[in-house]
Amino acid sequence: MSTKDFVEKDYYKVLGVPKDATDAEIKKAYRKLARENHPDANKGDAKAEERFKEISEANDVLGDPKRRKEYDEARALFGNGGFRAGPGAGGTFNFDLGDLFGGAQAPGGAGGAGGFGGGLGDVFGGLFNRGAGAGARTQPRRGQDVESEVTLSFTEAVDGATVPLRMSSQQPCKACSGTGDKNGTPRVCPTCVGTGQVSRGGSGSFSLTDPCVDCKGRGLIAENPCEVCHGSGRAKSSRTMQVRIPAGVSDGQRIRLRGKGAPGERGGPAGDLYVVVHVGEHPVFGRKGDNLTVTVPVSFAEAALGGEVRVPTLGGPPVTLKLPAGTPNGRTMRARGKGAVRKDGTRGDLLVTVEVAVPVELGDEAREALEAYRKATEGHDPRAELFQAAKGA
């Protein structure tokens, strides 16, 4: 669709709204007409399909405040195909818009007062995302995202660490300075006019945008492809960078580092780096969210009579916990502030689980003491409640 065609079309008439319609009125009219003329609701109806395309095209322009303003200005300048000379100029002169937009010159040449130079297509190209051939501006292109993996020790994951990370990514080709052309003079892709994208499946809210297949999304085509990058403008490169892994990271977590991926093209921003973290196991400590876990063995006497138990911590001095008399096997106690680092800089807790240790071998004195204990507690059956519950069930 040429710029001339766009200027000559009355999009307000297509949507059935006045020229001073509000954005809400335009949106309401578009949605109503789109539902009535959508191809899914009109199977095999070519007229409805064509009408749907016109409606979507009108909404593309009028639904965007900036494009609507430019469209109104263009219509005011050209009217219905004629050039408005302004007050006192003797009315309207009917020029061929195709000549104007195609680059025809008025008498006097490009350098004279009446010259239009390269055509008014350059002036209105931005309105319809169209360029003027080789003079079109190509769009900045964001760099690719890069993904890598790193393995940390349990302690490094809890406290945080700075690790060297070797990455392979696509960088601008040094041989052609990222142009893709060995002479450094690529041309603008005529298919996408330098945007790197093409639309399919209609327009408006239902249009889909794909990378241009002719230029592979670059917006440029190399007439003399670089022998190193074969015209892509990108070459594989490896680099090593120091990456800070935050404290408290967990196994399998995916960390995003903005702007640390592959660099962009034509002034575009760099991509992001995604680091998947693997955390090794610790022989003593475990992890449960922001809390660390540890299992501490205690003797039967300590569990039955109570006492104080020293507990190791990760990277710090031991802490002493008071064990209440009659502590059962498997009870968990909490040492506050001895866990992993949270996002706000505070620490979780250390969860200490008690495990009653049963001695494998007993000395004579210990055996006699236990025998005496058994006789003293013969009247107590620790399994009585178990059998009673089993009968009740």
Side-chain angles (χ1 to χ4, degrees), residues 145-212:
D145 292 336
V146 179
E147 185 164 304
S148 187
E149 295 180 317
V150 64
T151 299
L152 302 180
S153 69
F154 188 91
T155 302
E156 287 176 328
V158 171
D159 296 335
T162 299
V163 297
L165 194 63
R166 185 170 181 80
M167 303 184 307
S168 295
S169 63
Q170 295 292 324
Q171 305 279 349
C173 177
K174 294 182 180 180
C176 63
S177 300
T179 63
D181 191 286
K182 63 182 179 182
N183 297 327
T185 55
R187 65 183 177 90
V188 175
C189 174
T191 303
C192 65
V193 201
T195 64
Q197 297 179 329
V198 293
S199 298
R200 63 180 176 85
S203 57
S205 299
F206 301 96
S207 63
L208 298 175
T209 302
D210 294 326
C212 177

Side-chain angles (χ1 to χ4, degrees), residues 26-48:
I26 290 174
K27 183 183 293 185
K28 182 178 179 180
Y30 164 69
R31 288 180 174 176
K32 179 177 180 296
L33 294 173
R35 284 195 300 267
E36 294 174 354
N37 296 273
H38 196 278
D40 291 343
N42 300 272
K43 300 290 186 181
D45 189 339
K47 290 185 178 180

Side-chain angles (χ1 to χ4, degrees), residues 21 52 59 63-64 73 115 136 143 156-157 181 193 211 225 238 243 247 276 291 316 321 330 355 357 369 383:
F52 177 75
N59 182 66
D64 184 326
E73 291 175 350
E156 287 176 328
D181 191 286
V193 201
S238 296
V243 175
V276 179
N291 298 324
L321 295 181
E355 184 180 75
R383 292 172 290 281

